[in-house]
Amino acid sequence: MSKVHAIKSVAIFAVLAFLSPLANAESNLKQSIPDEYVVKKGDTLWDIAGVFLKSPWKWPSLWENNNQIKNPHLIYPNDVIYLLYRDGKPYLSTSKQGQAKLSRKIRVVGKYTPITAIPRIALQAFVEDHRIVDAARIAKMPYVLAGAGLRELIASGDEIYIRGVLDPQFSEYHIYRIGKTYGLKDGLSSENSEIIKVGTARLLDKQGDISRAIVTESQGLIKKGDIIVRSQALHLKPLYYLAAAPQDITGKIISAVNDTYKITRFDGVVLDIGVDAGVFPGHVFSVLRAPIQIKDPRTGEMVTISNQVIAELMIVNVFESLSYGIILNAKDIVSPGDSIIPVE
């Protein structure tokens, strides 16, 4: 049975805490950095860390010694982040004197929202709308039999008939469409299917293995054969604590999530590693371009170019043998077939 790891709680993103000592800060800091930085609308913690650090993925170190603070200050646009020193060691603070503020700034409610680690919209689809299940399970899952009035295409507000065994303790269900299948052709030992959320439904009544429900939300038209899954609270974590993946774990990008022609920053990818490999949400990998062969114009020989780091990605959602990742930054176009290795 597929597992989804660590994406369970609902909360606003907690962000950079004040008085934040940097682990190995001297070696992580860029050579030329400002003494202060004004947060802009649209900034992420990744962006802010990139102002100060050579490796932006190490931004969790900005508050790792403050993990006992239950209610850290949230960072908003127009806030100022200061680079300060104590005993010769740099740290970041929201106070120029390096002291914790005793009260929040008064802000107009709704004018600004706290900045996030990574843009929420870039993560949402991989948490709520995309899942991966054992392909063999799909044939056993309940499915849309027809729309009321035997409609072929169904939208929000329409009633549907569902065939299959539903949990009598639940009335809310998600409707998914079968997407890509990943298996032997991708180097996996079993077949796995991606399912993509297309709507939600509320159960009205049940007779045997036939149930009647009403579509409460649809993302496009719902079709006969779409599968039914019990509603689950799969939400974004309040904060992703990034960490280098274990050094013995490597893998490969086998697909883009949205069939995009060019995979770049904040695009989603499917990876051929999952729970069985020991990866978790927040693990960071470097992306290596797949080896390419180029004909030497002078000698005519074929030369192989490999091991070029072209991007970094973070694991977002993990299943049995596959996972979703998001590209954090990219120096060049990422493609299926590119390898991933732990960052250094």
Side-chain angles (χ1 to χ4, degrees):
M1 182 175 182
S2 297
K3 296 181 180 178
V4 181
H5 274 241
I7 300 184
K8 301 265 185 187
S9 55
V10 183
I12 297 175
F13 283 92
V15 292
L16 181 64
F18 48 83
L19 296 176
S20 303
L22 291 168
N24 300 317
E26 293 87 348
S27 61
N28 289 336
L29 287 176
K30 289 182 174 179
Q31 289 185 348
S32 178
I33 52 178
D35 293 329
E36 61 183 57
Y37 177 79
V38 179
V39 179
K40 302 186 298 294
K41 185 177 180 180
D43 272 348
T44 65
L45 288 183
W46 179 275
D47 298 322
I48 294 174
V51 173
F52 297 99
L53 301 178
K54 298 175 185 176
S55 300
W57 71 268
K58 294 181 180 179
W59 56 254
S61 66
L62 297 175
W63 68 83
E64 71 175 355
N65 292 334
N66 288 288
N67 55 14
Q68 299 304 315
I69 299 175
K70 294 183 179 180
N71 295 299
H73 283 281
L74 299 177
I75 304 301
Y76 288 77
N78 294 333
D79 283 352
V80 181
I81 306 296
Y82 298 98
L83 175 66
L84 303 173
Y85 289 83
R86 178 183 292 119
D87 298 327
K89 296 182 179 181
Y91 65 95
L92 299 180
S93 173
T94 55
S95 170
K96 197 167 186 179
Q97 290 74 36
Q99 299 298 319
K101 297 178 182 179
L102 299 180
S103 61
R104 293 183 184 275
K105 293 180 180 178
I106 297 175
R107 296 183 172 91
V108 178
V109 176
K111 182 177 180 181
Y112 293 123
T113 56
I115 67 166
T116 59
I118 295 165
R120 184 181 181 87
I121 193 171
L123 297 173
Q124 197 78 37
F126 315 128
V127 177
E128 293 186 344
D129 295 344
H130 288 69
R131 299 175 66 184
I132 294 174
V133 299
D134 186 332
R137 290 182 55 209
I138 291 180
K140 303 176 183 178
M141 299 173 76
Y143 57 94
V144 176
L145 182 64
L150 304 182
R151 292 190 183 93
E152 291 291 325
L153 299 176
I154 305 148
S156 180
D158 291 341
E159 291 188 7
I160 57 174
Y161 295 109
I162 298 170
R163 189 171 191 185
V165 178
L166 300 181
D167 189 328
Q169 301 298 317
F170 291 86
S171 61
E172 300 296 327
Y173 288 85
H174 290 167
I175 306 169
Y176 283 85
R177 183 158 300 151
I178 301 170
K180 301 175 185 176
T181 296
Y182 306 102
L184 297 177
K185 70 181 189 307
D186 303 297
L188 304 174
S189 59
S190 61
E191 297 291 304
N192 299 266
S193 292
E194 182 178 57
I195 58 175
I196 303 164
K197 184 180 174 184
V198 293
T200 59
R202 185 177 73 253
L203 191 64
L204 297 176
D205 57 53
K206 184 175 184 296
Q207 292 184 352
D209 68 342
I210 305 296
S211 302
R212 186 170 62 94
I214 185 168
V215 176
T216 55
E217 178 187 354
S218 65
Q219 301 166 11
L221 293 173
I222 294 165
K223 302 177 182 179
K224 293 193 300 184
D226 286 343
I227 60 176
I228 304 297
V229 179
R230 194 181 79 191
S231 176
Q232 292 181 312
L234 302 178
H235 299 287
L236 300 181
K237 290 181 64 178
L239 184 65
Y240 280 92
Y241 286 91
L242 275 68
Q247 290 299 308
D248 59 342
I249 298 179
T250 59
K252 184 176 65 174
I253 295 172
I254 60 177
S255 178
V257 169
N258 294 319
D259 287 325
T260 180
Y261 176 67
K262 296 180 178 180
I263 304 172
T264 186
R265 191 184 192 204
F266 298 145
D267 284 337
V269 292
V270 180
L271 309 170
D272 66 349
I273 52 176
V275 173
D276 53 4
V279 296
F280 295 94
H283 275 161
V284 179
F285 290 85
S286 292
V287 179
L288 298 182
R289 172 176 284 150
I292 57 174
Q293 286 196 318
I294 299 176
K295 186 176 182 179
D296 189 310
R298 179 172 294 182
T299 67
E301 64 181 329
M302 298 304 293
V303 179
T304 300
I305 299 177
S306 59
N307 297 328
Q308 296 180 80
V309 175
I310 57 173
E312 285 152 347
L313 65 79
M314 179 188 77
I315 300 293
V316 176
N317 209 350
V318 183
F319 304 87
E320 288 287 352
S321 55
L322 294 168
S323 58
Y324 287 121
I326 186 171
I327 303 297
L328 295 176
N329 63 17
K331 294 183 288 187
D332 206 342
I333 301 301
V334 176
S335 305
D338 290 342
S339 300
I340 60 170
I341 61 172
V343 292
E344 296 181 354

